[in-house]
Amino acid sequence: MTPHAFRGLHPGLAPALLGAVLLSSAPLRAQTAPTAQPASPAAAPAQGAKPLRIQLTPAQEKEFFTARKAQERRNHTSRQTILRDGLRCIEAATDLKALGACSQQERAAYRALMVREREETLTLFKRLGVPLPEASSNRPEAPTGRSATP
């Protein structure tokens, strides 16, 4: 931040405010400094650090890539189908209630696709003998649905 940012203030206040801003941002700069990687791959990542990536053998990596590429291709086609069906539903809608039903159908289709993707990925991990990724501790739990009360 430069002194001219405080140009419209009282002449005695500008240097004091600039100093206060610089002092208050010093801890932020210190916190954003790069951190050292754990010494050994078995060491647990520190709080807030990225977890270590799973190391695959070349054969596992090739099989994983082939399976994931096929899965992504299928999922891409499924998303296109969901959008196409949604558009047909929207075109056929005659009132707001029907339009809302189209949105609900589309959301349900995307949720089902997401569940199917997750199951396929877990099956792939198990087939390759790769440990399942752990859930992030700083990520909130996904909502389970709408409340039963109106």
Side-chain angles (χ1 to χ4, degrees):
M1 193 164 278
T2 58
H4 68 275
F6 300 107
R7 187 175 300 151
L9 297 175
H10 185 276
L13 283 177
L17 284 175
L18 178 61
V21 168
L22 291 176
L23 283 176
S24 67
S25 64
L28 295 176
R29 283 193 297 266
Q31 291 174 359
T32 58
T35 57
Q37 295 295 326
S40 69
Q47 181 76 13
K50 287 186 179 180
L52 296 175
R53 292 183 61 106
I54 297 170
Q55 296 299 316
L56 301 174
T57 65
Q60 284 177 322
E61 190 171 325
K62 184 176 180 180
E63 187 177 350
F64 188 73
F65 169 74
T66 304
R68 284 289 296 149
K69 185 174 181 178
Q71 181 184 9
E72 285 298 323
R73 188 175 285 140
R74 283 190 309 273
N75 293 335
H76 190 80
T77 303
S78 296
R79 288 190 303 269
Q80 288 176 331
T81 302
I82 292 169
L83 287 171
R84 205 174 8 253
D85 292 347
L87 184 58
R88 277 193 215 112
C89 184
I90 290 169
E91 294 296 330
T94 57
D95 59 4
L96 286 175
K97 195 172 191 177
L99 200 58
C102 292
S103 295
Q104 286 180 343
Q105 289 172 358
E106 198 169 317
R107 278 194 303 269
Y110 276 120
R111 275 194 295 272
L113 177 62
M114 185 177 65
V115 168
R116 200 167 51 244
E117 283 182 38
R118 188 177 298 126
E119 289 171 355
E120 286 179 21
T121 302
L122 291 177
T123 302
L124 177 62
F125 271 65
K126 288 177 185 175
R127 188 176 79 222
L128 292 174
V130 176
L132 298 177
E134 293 182 20
S136 175
S137 60
N138 59 354
R139 185 172 163 189
E141 289 295 320
T144 57
R146 293 185 181 228
S147 171
T149 58

